[in-house]
Amino acid sequence: NNPMVYFITCLFLAMSVVMMSISLKSFIGIRKKVLAECAVLFGAMYAILVSMVYYTQIAIVLKGTLSTDLLMIVSDIPGSVFFYIDMFGYCFLCLATLFIAFAIEGNKLLRGFLFAHSAIFVPTFLLPFMPIAFSTVQPAAGEVSGPLILVLWCAIFVPVCLLLARYFSRQQTATG
């Protein structure tokens, strides 16, 4: 229930995705370099959009001087400008993982999780246009769809990160 922890975590996640995508290029053969380059591009687009959102939200939370109406503009509540920017950013994260999945070879488990994560593109892209209301940071009393979606996303993305760390470690060992 602490929005500051949520915002800071997501800000660091965005930077980590870009570094992960750039690192991937070091281990990809020349035939698949363009896929790795696309992953870097989409990872950077994701990082720019969500960093803008979370940096602004952190600054506003720290200041604590905006009215409730103005806070709604930068909230993560569907209908707010920043919600739509954030969702669009996460669409690019899904595209980055799609290109990573095509770029790496072997490791079927990692590729499966990457493809599963990239499939989230469709609902992530369409969600802002759907007539549902949810918030992952401060859900309304009794409202569980936002936190449930966040938990499901984590159930896919956390293994992606762990499996990629193992992939990088094995690639480093193989290349000396």
Side-chain angles (χ1 to χ4, degrees), residues 19 70 87 107 143:
M19 290 184 279
L70 291 175
M87 294 302 291
N107 202 324
E143 194 272 316

Short mmCIF file of all heavy atoms in Angstrom, two decimals, residues 19 70 87 107 143:
data_model
loop_
_atom_site.label_atom_id
_atom_site.label_comp_id
_atom_site.label_asym_id
_atom_site.label_seq_id
_atom_site.Cartn_x
_atom_site.Cartn_y
_atom_site.Cartn_z
N MET A 19 19.32 -2.36 -19.69
CA MET A 19 20.63 -2.98 -19.50
C MET A 19 20.60 -4.46 -19.88
O MET A 19 21.54 -4.98 -20.49
CB MET A 19 21.10 -2.80 -18.06
CG MET A 19 21.47 -1.35 -17.75
SD MET A 19 22.14 -1.12 -16.10
CE MET A 19 20.65 -1.07 -15.14
N LEU A 70 -5.85 17.23 -9.38
CA LEU A 70 -4.59 17.18 -10.10
C LEU A 70 -3.87 15.86 -9.88
O LEU A 70 -3.19 15.36 -10.78
CB LEU A 70 -3.70 18.35 -9.70
CG LEU A 70 -4.18 19.73 -10.15
CD1 LEU A 70 -3.30 20.83 -9.60
CD2 LEU A 70 -4.24 19.79 -11.67
N MET A 87 0.61 2.07 -19.54
CA MET A 87 0.18 0.87 -20.26
C MET A 87 0.87 0.77 -21.62
O MET A 87 1.30 -0.31 -22.04
CB MET A 87 -1.34 0.86 -20.44
CG MET A 87 -2.11 0.72 -19.14
SD MET A 87 -1.70 -0.75 -18.19
CE MET A 87 -2.39 -2.01 -19.22
N ASN A 107 17.39 -23.24 -24.55
CA ASN A 107 16.65 -22.87 -23.34
C ASN A 107 15.15 -22.69 -23.60
O ASN A 107 14.64 -21.56 -23.61
CB ASN A 107 17.25 -21.64 -22.69
CG ASN A 107 16.88 -21.57 -21.22
OD1 ASN A 107 15.78 -21.95 -20.84
ND2 ASN A 107 17.80 -21.11 -20.40
N GLU A 143 -11.91 -4.34 -4.26
CA GLU A 143 -11.54 -4.48 -5.67
C GLU A 143 -10.23 -5.27 -5.76
O GLU A 143 -9.25 -4.92 -5.14
CB GLU A 143 -11.38 -3.09 -6.28
CG GLU A 143 -11.31 -3.07 -7.78
CD GLU A 143 -9.90 -3.26 -8.29
OE1 GLU A 143 -8.99 -2.65 -7.75
OE2 GLU A 143 -9.73 -4.06 -9.21
#
